[in-house]
């Protein structure tokens, strides 16, 4: 938490060390260059790099929810479906930082790990995400991949309509849309794609 109102260098009280406590010793406060309007009591996330001579990143203002999220993720398994399952509920979170981080977790795992979540995926929620034109194409691609895991041939008419659409926003993520369509229909879907 910020405990001073200095415009260039600001002193931050350390309230939680998520990882790397062995490098901090008895330090309970650090001074870091901060850009912006300081607010006493605001939570910030800082990353320390290159221990033991730690260089601090720019402080990032966070909410209590983000603090709880960061604390929780360091306790998760390093990989696998058990880890990935945690991030499902954050994929379109109102806190953009959480939504982006959850997407990044899915973006870096092999397809086989996503397949392992088949029973935990919400088919109806994925359809809603895919139909939402406001969702960025990168995330829509992920949701199409996930629909390919938990969907069924009854989803093909929706995908076909999207593939045939002249609206660029509807067609965003066409590569993943085609992949999902063919995953669900197999060879039966090739005539449309050809």
């Amino acid at each position: 938490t910020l405990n001073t109102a200095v415009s260039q260098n600001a002193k931050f009280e350390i309230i939680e060390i998520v990882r790397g406590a062995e490098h901090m010793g008895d330090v309970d406060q650090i001074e870091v260059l901060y850009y912006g309007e300081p607010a006493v009591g605001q939570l910030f996330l800082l990353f320390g790099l290159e221990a033991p001579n730690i260089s601090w990143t720019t402080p990032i203002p966070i909410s209590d929810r983000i603090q709880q999220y960061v604390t929780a993720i360091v306790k998760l398994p390093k990989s696998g479906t058990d880890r990935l399952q945690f991030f499902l509920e954050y994929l379109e979170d109102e806190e953009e930082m959480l939504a982006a981080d959850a997407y990044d977790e899915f973006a870096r795992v092999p397809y086989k790990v996503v397949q392992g979540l088949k029973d935990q995926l919400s088919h109806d929620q994925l359809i809603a995400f895919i139909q939402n034109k406001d969702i960025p194409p990168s995330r829509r691609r992920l949701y199409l991949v996930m629909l390919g895991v938990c969907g069924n041939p009854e989803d093909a008419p929706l995908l076909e309509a999207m593939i045939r659409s002249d609206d660029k926003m509807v067609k965003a993520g066409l590569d993943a849309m085609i992949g999902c369509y063919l995953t669900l229909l197999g060879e039966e879907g090739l005539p449309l794609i050809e």
Side-chain angles (χ1 to χ4, degrees), residues 11-81:
K11 290 183 180 176
F12 290 82
E13 175 188 357
I14 299 170
I15 61 169
E16 182 177 5
I17 299 174
V18 178
R19 190 181 303 167
E22 67 275 12
H23 301 292
M24 295 300 294
D26 294 334
V27 176
D28 62 356
Q29 194 177 82
I30 58 173
E31 191 169 327
V32 180
L33 186 62
Y34 177 67
Y35 300 97
E37 288 293 322
V40 175
Q42 167 71 52
L43 291 173
F44 290 85
L45 178 64
L46 288 93
F47 295 95
L49 309 172
E50 301 177 21
N53 300 318
I54 300 173
S55 296
W56 295 100
T57 62
T58 302
I60 304 166
I62 62 170
S63 66
D64 289 337
R65 280 187 72 234
I66 293 174
Q67 180 191 9
Q68 293 164 3
Y69 175 91
V70 170
T71 301
I73 61 175
V74 297
K75 297 174 186 170
L76 295 174
K78 298 279 186 220
S79 61
T81 56

Side-chain angles (χ1 to χ4, degrees), residues 123 126-127 130 143-151 155 159 180 184:
H123 176 271
L126 290 172
I127 294 292
I130 289 165
Y143 303 143
L144 287 159
V145 168
M146 294 165 86
L147 182 63
V149 170
C150 72
D155 297 318
L159 295 169
C180 180
L184 298 177

Side-chain angles (χ1 to χ4, degrees), residues 73-182:
I73 61 175
V74 297
K75 297 174 186 170
L76 295 174
K78 298 279 186 220
S79 61
T81 56
D82 290 341
R83 177 180 177 85
L84 207 54
Q85 185 174 359
F86 171 84
F87 296 98
L88 282 173
E89 69 181 90
Y90 295 100
L91 283 169
E92 287 300 320
D93 197 273
E94 62 189 30
E95 297 251 19
E96 180 55 33
M97 181 185 244
L98 299 184
D101 189 67
Y103 168 80
D104 288 346
E105 285 289 330
F106 276 87
R108 69 175 136 243
V109 299
Y111 180 64
K112 187 171 185 89
V113 177
V114 177
Q115 286 177 306
L117 287 176
K118 181 177 182 173
D119 295 336
Q120 285 82 40
L121 298 176
S122 171
H123 176 271
D124 293 345
Q125 185 64 70
L126 290 172
I127 294 292
F129 288 162
I130 289 165
Q131 291 179 309
N132 183 345
K133 292 182 189 181
D134 294 330
I135 289 181
S138 58
R139 289 190 193 162
R140 181 182 284 182
R141 283 182 177 93
L142 170 63
Y143 303 143
L144 287 159
V145 168
M146 294 165 86
L147 182 63
V149 170
C150 72
N152 54 61
E154 285 81 44
D155 297 318
L158 167 68
L159 295 169
E160 183 174 335
M162 293 174 75
I163 290 168
R164 292 182 185 276
S165 176
D166 292 330
D167 184 336
K168 289 181 182 181
M169 294 302 289
V170 170
K171 254 185 171 157
L174 181 62
D175 51 347
M177 203 176 299
I178 290 170
C180 180
Y181 183 75
L182 292 175

